[in-house]
Amino acid sequence: MTDPKRLKISHQTGSYEVLVGKNLLAQIGEYLRVIRATGPVGIITNNTVNELYGGVIRDHLRSVGLLTRTILIPDGEAYKTLASAEQVISALIAQGMERSGTILTLGGGVVTDLGGFVASVLFRGVKLVHIPTTLLSMVDAAVGGKTGVNHSSGKNLVGSFYQPDLVLMDIDTLKSLEDRDRVSGFAEMFKMGVIRDTAYLDFLMSNLLTLIEGSADEILITAIARSCALKAEVVEVDEKEADLRRILNFGHTLGHAIETTLGYGVIRHGEAVILGMYGAGWLSSQIGTLQQEDWNKLAAMLLKIPLDVPIESLDADAIEASTRKDKKVANSQLNFVLLNRLGEPQMQSGIPVLMIKLAVDALKKAWGRAV
Ligand SMILES: NC(=O)c1ccc[n+]([C@@H]2O[C@H](COP(=O)([O-])OP(=O)(O)OC[C@H]3O[C@@H](n4cnc5c(N)ncnc54)[C@H](O)[C@@H]3O)[C@@H](O)[C@H]2O)c1
């Protein structure tokens, strides 16, 4: 068994390790020992993931003498709410969770976001270990310390910055993932390449199908670890998103609006970000910050990513209306992450919200031509 790749991520009050490898779940107890985690260990997960991977984790924790409590949340973005967080907290308290215990999140980004939020507020903060089990949660949600739940007015409006003590990424868990969830995770790695590292972007594109199929372990581990390292470079400089970290929102302003408009469950987060990146690239080329050659390259790459989304049903007016509610809007003008060139993003203020509709028209036309 090869050792996992290890990244150390520093933050204002310390640091934590991210491990990317194989067969890590069956050694979970040893890893918890290293960070001096004590029980009870409150495992926050959902039915789908619990049935697949909960057993092996509980068995190993039991074998090293750690008590576990498993709290299930219903599967789906619609349950990433304050009400679910409160239910999880009540269940943990009822089952004897202690201030000195550990929260272990096991699942995709919905679980890591909600479980991280619970860990940050329960007893004013308990030890937190993330075990992300989707590609998207490995390369994005579980790294960087953002936690949160949705509100009826929008996504992730309630949350906290709360750093984990350890993140374990076991690529064996990705084998059970649906194809669309692999594409969704690929999108966030692609984004990191677009905004930080064009050599990595080329690596991703030359291994596009291998990565989406998850058919070569070493390539997958390399791609995940590099994406996390690129994200770490950004969040280490700007943990609380005062400045540089905002570039991570590339593709997300429009992506969130598309997600909200289509409704949870219709489109995956990363799928919406692929469309959002197209829109942001198109805007960059229209405004003149992005040269035609780079725009053509970006558009061609995005159109190569297999996407199973009802793009023709996107409602440009509704999406424009939704962006008006975005946290980044003032006076009907948006702050938008645009590109100067591939690998070099910039924050642009004063983008008229009206241009969102045009960007949606452009992306619908592009995918319409591609099919
Ligand atoms: N905090 C952050 O910085 C951050 C960053 C990006 C995204 N997010 C959040 O992440 C969420 C999206 O995460 P996601 O794409 O992982 O979605 P998800 O958590 O809904 O998981 C997708 C589906 O895959 C299932 N699943 C999870 N692991 C599996 C496995 N190994 N095998 C089979 N099925 C599995 C889940 O049960 C779910 O049905 C959104 O809520 C988004 O806002 C947060």
Side-chain angles (χ1 to χ4, degrees):
M1 180 63 50
T2 50
D3 285 338
K5 274 197 196 298
R6 289 172 182 266
L7 297 173
K8 185 175 164 202
I9 302 190
S10 300
H11 53 82
Q12 279 167 7
T13 52
S15 66
Y16 60 96
E17 267 199 321
V18 175
L19 272 54
V20 192
K22 285 175 68 62
N23 198 32
L24 303 183
L25 298 190
Q27 307 166 58
I28 177 74
E30 322 297 344
Y31 292 116
L32 291 204
R33 237 191 251 280
V34 174
I35 60 161
R36 296 198 186 87
T38 50
V41 179
I43 302 172
I44 301 178
T45 184
N46 67 28
N47 242 324
T48 316
V49 183
N50 185 48
E51 283 189 4
L52 289 162
Y53 307 111
V56 64
I57 289 178
R58 276 184 294 275
D59 285 352
H60 198 258
L61 290 177
R62 205 173 300 126
S63 76
V64 298
L66 285 169
L67 279 178
T68 62
R69 305 279 183 259
T70 301
I71 313 295
L72 299 177
I73 54 171
D75 193 349
E77 182 76 34
Y79 297 97
K80 199 179 98 174
T81 60
L82 261 182
S84 301
E86 190 178 357
Q87 282 166 13
V88 169
I89 288 169
S90 301
L92 284 166
I93 292 172
Q95 294 188 37
M97 185 66 187
E98 293 167 18
R99 167 87 187 82
S100 57
T102 304
I103 294 282
L104 188 155
T105 68
L106 173 69
V110 165
V111 169
T112 52
D113 271 11
L114 187 137
F117 178 66
V118 166
S120 74
V121 292
L122 180 62
F123 308 131
R124 298 203 174 85
V126 297
K127 205 161 252 201
L128 172 64
V129 175
H130 285 311
I131 303 189
T133 60
T134 61
L135 187 52
L136 183 125
S137 57
M138 289 183 184
V139 297
D140 203 356
V143 171
K146 268 191 185 179
T147 82
V149 293
N150 301 325
H151 184 269
S152 54
S153 305
K155 265 181 69 85
N156 301 327
L157 291 187
V158 179
S160 57
F161 287 96
Y162 194 68
Q163 304 295 339
D165 296 279
L166 175 69
V167 184
L168 278 192
M169 304 183 181
D170 187 332
I171 63 156
D172 294 332
T173 61
L174 299 177
K175 297 209 166 23
S176 50
L177 217 54
E178 286 184 19
D179 290 349
R180 287 183 62 185
D181 287 308
R182 293 174 204 284
V183 170
S184 180
F186 181 87
E188 293 287 359
M189 298 197 289
F190 182 95
K191 177 199 77 182
M192 287 311 314
V194 172
I195 60 173
R196 292 295 281 187
D197 183 349
T198 52
Y200 176 60
L201 186 60
D202 291 340
F203 165 80
L204 290 176
M205 288 313 290
S206 50
N207 291 290
L208 172 65
L209 291 181
T210 311
L211 285 165
I212 287 175
E213 286 159 7
S215 52
D217 290 344
E218 279 315 309
I219 291 177
L220 193 53
I221 290 172
T222 302
I224 293 169
R226 179 66 187 147
S227 187
C228 292
L230 288 168
K231 181 167 181 184
E233 280 173 16
V234 174
V235 300
E236 282 182 344
V237 173
D238 178 20
E239 191 174 324
K240 302 267 172 77
E241 199 170 318
D243 186 18
L244 179 69
R245 189 171 178 159
R246 290 181 294 168
I247 65 169
L248 298 177
N249 291 324
F250 178 66
H252 283 62
T253 304
L254 184 50
H256 277 164
I258 291 173
E259 254 182 303
T260 309
T261 316
L262 279 182
Y264 301 137
V266 179
I267 190 166
R268 309 292 206 269
H269 178 72
E271 291 173 332
V273 171
I274 291 170
L275 300 177
M277 287 191 279
Y278 188 98
W282 180 86
L283 276 172
S284 308
S285 75
Q286 291 296 305
I287 283 165
T289 57
L290 185 64
Q291 296 296 311
Q292 195 63 34
E293 193 186 332
D294 269 8
W295 165 230
N296 290 344
K297 184 174 175 195
L298 176 62
M301 289 189 292
L302 285 165
L303 286 160
K304 269 194 198 136
I305 305 173
L307 210 52
D308 183 13
V309 172
I311 294 174
E312 65 294 342
S313 69
L314 292 180
D315 178 342
D317 290 315
I319 293 168
E320 185 199 307
S322 174
T323 52
R324 286 182 193 278
K325 292 190 200 145
D326 194 283
K327 286 170 278 192
K328 296 177 275 305
V329 169
N331 301 324
S332 292
Q333 300 203 325
L334 274 167
N335 293 326
F336 222 92
V337 187
L338 297 185
L339 293 174
N340 287 333
R341 60 176 68 89
L342 287 175
E344 191 185 308
Q346 59 137 336
M347 285 305 301
Q348 178 86 42
S349 53
I351 303 284
V353 179
L354 278 173
M355 286 199 77
I356 295 298
K357 184 173 161 359
L358 301 178
V360 176
D361 288 341
L363 76 87
K364 283 177 77 170
K365 212 181 276 174
W367 264 273
R369 275 196 303 268
V371 287

